[in-house]
Amino acid sequence: MKALFKKSSISFLTILTILLTANNSFAQDPTNQIQEFTVKIDKLGDASWEVSEKMTQSQWESFKQGPLVNDPSITKRNMERSMSAYVIEDFKRDLDEMNRAVKMSFTVKAMATYKGSGHWELKLDSKNPQITKLADNGQMMISNTAINGQLIQQIFKVYFPEGASNIQQSTDSFGKALFTYSSGGGIGTYFSWNNIVGILFIVAAAVTFLKTSKQQKESINIFMNKQITNS
Amino acid sequence: MKKFLLPIILLIAGIGFIAYPFFLPSGDIDLKIQPATVIMPAAYKVYSNPDILGGRYNLFKAVVKNSTSSEIKNLKVQFRVPGLIPDWTDVPAATNLLPGQTAVATCYPVFPQSITERNTTSKEKTEIKITYGNKGNPTERDESFPFDVTSVNDIVFTNMADQDKAYAGDFGENRVLYACMVSSEDPIIKHYAQAVQQKILCGESGAGVGESGEVTDQSIKEKVRVMQGVYNATLLSHMVYSETQSGVSKFGDNTSSTEHIRLPREVVSGNTGLCIELALLHASIYKAAGLNPVIFLVPGHAYPGIKVGNQYIPIESTGIGGVGLGGIMSADQALKKGLEELKTFYEESSKGNPQYQLLDIDQLYSQGFKDMELKPDPTLADETDKILQTWPTCLISALNQPARAAAYASRPRPKPRTRSTEYTTSNWQRGAINTISFSYPGSWPVYPHPVAQIPFLIAAAISPDKTAQVETYHVAAQNPEQAIYYIKMAVNRMGETVQYSETGSENNLTRFNGTTYNNGITLTWVGYFRNGYGGVDGVIVGTTGGGNRAVLNEIVNSIR
């Protein structure tokens, strides 16, 4: 799974930034752009991405000339080719013309790796990112990047599955950010219907055995008492 | 005992419910394989690197979904390619999958170096084995798919399925793989690059940057000198431009243009190359010399250059000429032409035209692109050696030796221009160089091969006051322009500056007027050249300012 997940969210950030800023290279507006990335990891390790950005009028005018507005299928195709190690599904793009805002959403399959016994791993392709805790199951990092001469601030939020615990951040052998967390699995995975029925049967067997043993013991005692009385 | 029958039955049933999954075959998985249809040996190192271009260059992607109702354990994805990777090899993948969970296993194969020895396209097969479940009795799923392995010289321009192609850039997305053909580590190219540095650049390093690493005017000049040296080397070798094979092939659902690229080692040994091949040769030598090479890709053409700081310096490497390309450019002209082309490149690339693409070799290598390893090839090395032997030995270093330097310093200095009466027409000699004949004063001593470092200078007759001279040349060149250029190069290497221009023709002879300058001495000369047997013959008449003009005119007028 190591190589499989070598590319991760930071690569996405770069690709998405390029997609979003395409055709913005001649925009003269020096105002910084702010892009917000929200990633929600579900219980199967799949990630739903939502990328949103609000623009100034001049940025919007320039953005409207780009492929994301005019040919979103090409954008999807380019994303799939630029991130070949992943499976991307449910690609959607919403434009809010009144507010000069764009929102892109898609699902990345198998972004987090299941290591067994309820343990999960999420690798980021970023060295020593500045990460702050957002909520019990959420982390946030902010970074700045320059694309086509524009300074772009990126706010990246990642939410682990509901009920995820032991969320810890470390680095792998290449110094890249690595999150580990616990979710599902563990003892819970043993409560399959066959195990439950099997355990019920064993418990029933034990109860029946004890009951039978007790009855037999009582019968023996009654018999012994009778023998003693008779003698 | 009968009373314990019920609990025993219940116990056995309970154990049976818990244990029965271990005796059943594992449930099935949903498996989708997305295979590569073609592999290019030139890029064999790229395929092993998942970091390159988002992992685009892989052998296959296996998408495995656990469609059973229980957790899958011990999942393992393996592959092999008989003939290339014969052993079953693991593909990194998740080992556990929860019900409904998906895993993606992408295969980045490590092909052996021997794949670069393939000279023809062949059909290969990838075999995939997926096992999971009980380690002792795993469930196995086998898949396979065919794919093409091209010749090491082939570049398939795109891997994109026909149905996905839309824009011009889609048809050439693999042109970035040209970077893998920049072979600065190839033993033959290294040898060639050393010869360029030794014989053409006279051992000077052109990789120069300032002492603290900053870019200075001097360092830029040095870099440009290297570029010109590489260009001059191809000129000196009589390298010519020529076309190569190209075509269209179908690989699965992808119909793509393909191009058969002669590797830099084949270009120097064959002494001919297409634009991209010459660009790759230049880039290879630049890299070997420590420069930062780039290749400019434009519609139907490619040319090399270097990156210095944030600037690019291009050169038109096809200026060496060839059938259909017209005349031969000097290195200066090739640089000028490159700059003209760069202007167009900037204009088009700023418009977002994807057909104008810059390959920054160092940057690509930092992203993971790598040149292929090539084994020594005695045949190509011999052919290259034969060409290198025709290059003259560099003179700068020889001149730097004390004895030579002293001799050079004692060269005659110009005298005041006086009308000499030394020359008479009564004692004239007839001179000739193959097809060209002329007359010169009999009092002028003749020196055969006066400058060992200029082997094509056959003889020189010098006036007694050392202010005028006649020189005869035989140059292994294709035409007078090339011949005079070679002479200029040789003289340049001696530290002298030569300027000339073609000024017409007389008696089927091409005339050049020029000056040669060194250490305060300016030789003004006129030369006449014509194609002869096995090269070009020429006569040059020059003066440092003294001498009898009438005599000089008589010499010039006698040239036939």
Side-chain angles (χ1 to χ4, degrees), chain B residues 208-254:
Chain B
V209 288
E211 285 180 6
S212 57
E214 80 279 15
V215 176
T216 62
D217 285 349
Q218 185 56 35
S219 72
I220 291 174
K221 278 181 187 169
E222 275 297 282
K223 289 169 197 289
V224 169
R225 202 172 72 86
V226 172
M227 293 175 73
Q228 289 184 306
V230 176
Y231 181 86
N232 286 335
T234 57
L235 263 185
L236 199 60
S237 307
H238 306 167
M239 193 177 282
V240 291
Y241 174 91
S242 68
E243 291 287 348
T244 186
Q245 298 170 30
S246 61
V248 176
S249 300
K250 193 159 178 64
F251 305 98
D253 53 2
N254 167 32

Side-chain angles (χ1 to χ4, degrees), chain B residues 42 97 118 137 140 178 260 319 371 381 474 484 536 559:
Chain B
L97 277 184
R118 297 200 169 211
N137 181 28
E140 184 173 319
Y178 284 139
H260 187 86
D371 54 340
H474 178 74
I484 194 78
V536 174
I559 296 172

